Amino acid sequence: MSKPINVYSTPDLRQTLDEALPSAFERLGYAQSFKLIDTKLIIGYSIALVAGISFLLDKKLKFEESLLYQKILVALYALLSGMFWYFNKYVEKGVKYNGSSADKAISVVTKMEKYSYDYQVTINDSKGRSTTSKLLANTVFNEAGYLQSDKLFKWLEERLDALVKKAN
């Protein structure tokens, strides 16, 4: 069982539900994919590497000697930062879970408005179909603030069944 949370705190509700997605989908037969996270890490580490190289050049060379290199590094830093922003804004777009089973792949986008208990879940499959549903957070948490994983599992299972029925 998880630790109790304050069920009146929207950030706590969202974080706990987002963290519970991988284990729930694993029970449904999905293996998590980390492609988006890995790409984000590669871009982020590249930005840090460029900044580190710039720092070392600044320490080892005189200003005039390093000026051309610094201009190149600043341009590269700006390019990588732009890529990072674009990736977060348009590629990742709030995806909290990517997974695949033997026959299909899904991505799950979640959203929770401030001061709301509606956990909006959009499940997209590899064939372009999607289903959007709202989960009232108080239906999967008990009075003490513990997440009831079985209820969340059943709710997600129903959403996946609805997605399959859309296909037929």
Side-chain angles (χ1 to χ4, degrees):
M1 188 174 265
S2 65
K3 64 178 182 159
I5 64 160
N6 178 3
V7 293
Y8 301 107
S9 171
T10 303
D12 287 351
L13 288 171
R14 182 180 56 240
Q15 180 180 355
T16 303
L17 288 169
D18 286 347
E19 289 174 354
L21 289 176
S23 61
F25 280 109
E26 183 178 345
R27 286 177 58 190
L28 289 165
Y30 288 89
Q32 189 170 7
S33 169
F34 295 98
K35 288 179 185 173
L36 289 178
I37 295 170
D38 291 344
T39 304
K40 194 174 181 179
L41 282 172
I42 288 169
I43 296 170
Y45 283 134
S46 299
I47 291 170
L49 180 66
V50 167
I53 292 170
S54 175
F55 174 77
L56 288 175
L57 283 177
D58 192 39
K59 289 293 181 188
K60 298 290 182 188
L61 301 175
K62 294 180 183 174
F63 176 75
E64 294 80 20
E65 294 172 344
S66 69
L67 187 59
L68 176 63
Y69 299 116
Q70 291 291 2
K71 286 179 181 179
I72 293 169
L73 289 171
V74 167
L76 188 57
Y77 185 89
L79 177 71
L80 287 169
S81 294
M83 284 174 52
F84 192 77
W85 172 81
Y86 181 84
F87 185 82
N88 281 333
K89 180 95 172 157
Y90 297 107
V91 177
E92 194 177 40
K93 294 188 279 190
V95 173
K96 300 296 182 202
Y97 179 84
N98 277 322
S100 60
S101 67
D103 57 342
K104 61 183 169 184
I106 60 167
S107 70
V108 180
V109 177
T110 65
K111 189 168 87 172
M112 196 170 203
E113 299 295 326
K114 195 172 185 178
Y115 308 120
S116 173
Y117 298 108
D118 295 337
Y119 185 66
Q120 185 175 339
V121 178
T122 304
I123 302 174
N124 304 306
D125 69 1
S126 56
K127 296 177 180 151
R129 297 181 300 253
S130 71
T131 180
T132 301
S133 304
K134 285 187 180 182
L135 170 67
L136 290 173
N138 61 357
T139 61
V140 293
F141 285 93
N142 65 15
E143 297 83 20
Y146 288 99
L147 175 65
Q148 298 172 325
S149 300
D150 289 337
K151 288 185 178 183
L152 178 63
F153 170 77
K154 289 192 185 313
W155 187 84
L156 288 170
E157 188 175 41
E158 291 169 4
R159 301 293 77 78
L160 285 174
D161 289 342
L163 188 62
V164 169
K165 288 178 184 175
K166 271 188 171 183
N168 299 335

